[in-house]
Amino acid sequence: MKNQLVEKISLWQLFILIFIFEMGSAIIVGIGNDAKQDAWIAVSIATLLGVGLVLFFYQISARMEGKNLFEILEWTVGKWIGRMITCLYVLYFIYIAARVLRDFGELLASSILPTTPIEVTMIIIMLIISYVLYLGLEVLGRTGEIFFPYVILFISGIGLGILVSGEIHFKNLLPIMPEGITPIAQAIFPSLLTFPFGELIVFTLIFPYVSNAKYVGKVSVVSVIAAGLLLVYSSIIQITTLGANMKNRATFPMLSAAGEISLLEFIERIDLLIVFIMMFGVIIKVAVFTYGGLKGLELVFLRPYRYFIFPICMLISYLSVTISDNFAEHMEEGLTFVPYYLHLPFQLGIPLLIFPILLWRTKGKRVKQNDQPN
């Protein structure tokens, strides 16, 4: 397992991974629908809360230099309890990876591959991810660097294209807060707080492998802010193009908004290209969650995580298909069950429980890897 510690990614790669991870499936399914035309306000506030969350997650990781979340759990609450919690996190990360993969599979099935069995696309994507992860965390970071310009181009280009097409109507943003702060608060908690910002808990498995560790917190904050601003921009595009009611009814609002682009009676059906660009974000997000689960298995079974890559990736592709009978059931489960019974306990509950113990055992000081108390 020593070879795992050699893996390093740069601060720039960390910035990109967090940025694309946050965009991931949030762009596909749309967020903040409970706030209606004030969704962009809800996303703005949630971004500020997301900055607090990523700082909290970083503080947990920084208490023990060079140790990931699972190793910190084992050191904090003991070997056996720590490994039991680690197993629960492994199941959680695998389940969320399967959900994200299902989101994209449904997008493909409804837009460009209606006659292709969804199982085929799931398996192909997971084979790609398994290959990237087998090559290591450094390759995942470099993969993010390749995808990053396309993600930026996609988001900025779609807004410009819709604007030139004359389909943006800023009156759809009015009235602002007609029902007060209540709908915005309902959109933020727990939905926006846990998705996509709370999901950054998985980066506690990546922080220890970032070079120049003293800047990890600052880079993470900047990345979350940048991703949040782009999500706000995306929400404004969807609302001004489709209107709040149509945005909430649309299965994939960003894809529907892109379908409104029509330039010079020549540039149309941009949504087909957008599907492929969205795929980049999904690959990164699923890969990061899968990596988190693999690192847990590495600790529990004391074997390098590469031993588990192929079977876990195939398990995720299987779960993504069997997780629900149809997309409506999949979305209902994601809105009612997952935030309360999975996201909140694993993103906030367990970290909040162990953090005081971690502070007490380290006596408020960061513990270096070679200077840990017994």
Side-chain angles (χ1 to χ4, degrees), residues 127 194 232 236 266 374:
L127 285 175
T194 58
V232 171
I236 292 175
F266 173 71
N374 295 319

Side-chain angles (χ1 to χ4, degrees), residues 164-186:
V164 174
S165 299
E167 297 297 332
I168 286 184
H169 308 286
F170 289 100
K171 64 180 181 180
N172 290 337
L173 295 173
L174 302 175
I176 296 177
M177 298 178 63
E179 301 176 28
I181 195 69
T182 301
I184 295 176
Q186 291 174 343

Side-chain angles (χ1 to χ4, degrees), residues 68-90 205 295-297 299-301 346 350 354 357 361:
N68 61 44
L69 175 64
F70 300 143
E71 294 167 325
I72 292 173
L73 277 169
E74 184 175 306
W75 185 84
T76 304
V77 298
K79 178 178 178 180
W80 298 110
I81 296 178
R83 291 195 177 182
M84 286 193 328
I85 298 175
T86 295
C87 290
L88 293 177
Y89 266 107
V90 169
L205 282 306
K295 292 300 286 185
L297 293 175
L299 179 67
V300 172
F301 293 101
F346 286 103
I350 295 175
I354 69 166
I357 303 174
R361 292 205 63 186

Side-chain angles (χ1 to χ4, degrees), residues 20 56 71 237 333 336:
I20 299 180
F56 173 56
E71 294 167 325
I237 289 176
E333 182 177 311
T336 58

Side-chain angles (χ1 to χ4, degrees), residues 7-227:
E7 293 185 336
K8 289 289 182 180
I9 61 173
S10 67
L11 290 171
W12 173 240
Q13 289 170 339
L14 174 67
F15 173 90
I16 292 174
L17 286 178
I18 292 178
F19 184 90
I20 299 180
F21 179 90
E22 289 292 273
M23 300 297 294
S25 53
I27 288 292
I28 296 178
V29 299
I31 53 178
N33 289 342
D34 289 340
K36 299 180 181 178
Q37 70 268 23
D38 294 326
W40 65 277
I41 299 177
V43 175
S44 301
I45 298 174
T47 299
L48 297 178
L49 297 176
V51 169
L53 280 176
V54 77
L55 281 175
F56 173 56
F57 298 149
Y58 168 69
Q59 285 301 316
I60 292 177
S61 178
R63 288 296 123 186
M64 297 184 66
E65 185 178 317
K67 294 293 184 181
N68 61 44
L69 175 64
F70 300 143
E71 294 167 325
I72 292 173
L73 277 169
E74 184 175 306
W75 185 84
T76 304
V77 298
K79 178 178 178 180
W80 298 110
I81 296 178
R83 291 195 177 182
M84 286 193 328
I85 298 175
T86 295
C87 290
L88 293 177
Y89 266 107
V90 169
L91 295 175
Y92 170 67
F93 289 150
I94 289 174
Y95 174 77
I96 299 302
R99 289 195 60 84
V100 175
L101 185 62
R102 177 64 177 266
D103 288 338
F104 183 69
E106 292 288 349
L107 176 66
L108 283 179
S110 65
S111 56
I112 62 174
L113 299 173
T115 59
T116 302
I118 194 172
E119 295 86 351
V120 175
T121 56
M122 304 293 196
I123 292 174
I124 291 175
I125 292 175
M126 288 312 301
L127 285 175
I128 295 172
I129 290 174
S130 65
Y131 178 67
V132 171
L133 291 178
Y134 184 81
L135 295 178
L137 186 61
E138 297 175 3
V139 174
L140 179 61
R142 290 197 294 269
T143 303
E145 286 184 292
I146 296 173
F147 290 161
F148 182 67
Y150 297 100
V151 174
I152 298 298
L153 181 64
F154 151 59
I155 296 295
S156 58
I158 187 175
L160 181 61
I162 296 174
L163 179 63
V164 174
S165 299
E167 297 297 332
I168 286 184
H169 308 286
F170 289 100
K171 64 180 181 180
N172 290 337
L173 295 173
L174 302 175
I176 296 177
M177 298 178 63
E179 301 176 28
I181 195 69
T182 301
I184 295 176
Q186 291 174 343
I188 293 173
F189 186 85
S191 298
L192 282 174
L193 184 64
T194 58
F195 170 74
F197 299 104
E199 293 176 331
L200 289 169
I201 183 69
V202 72
F203 276 86
T204 55
L205 282 306
I206 294 179
F207 287 156
Y209 308 115
V210 180
S211 59
N212 217 341
K214 65 179 180 178
Y215 295 111
V216 167
K218 294 179 181 179
V219 169
S220 299
V221 167
V222 173
S223 183
V224 170
I225 292 174

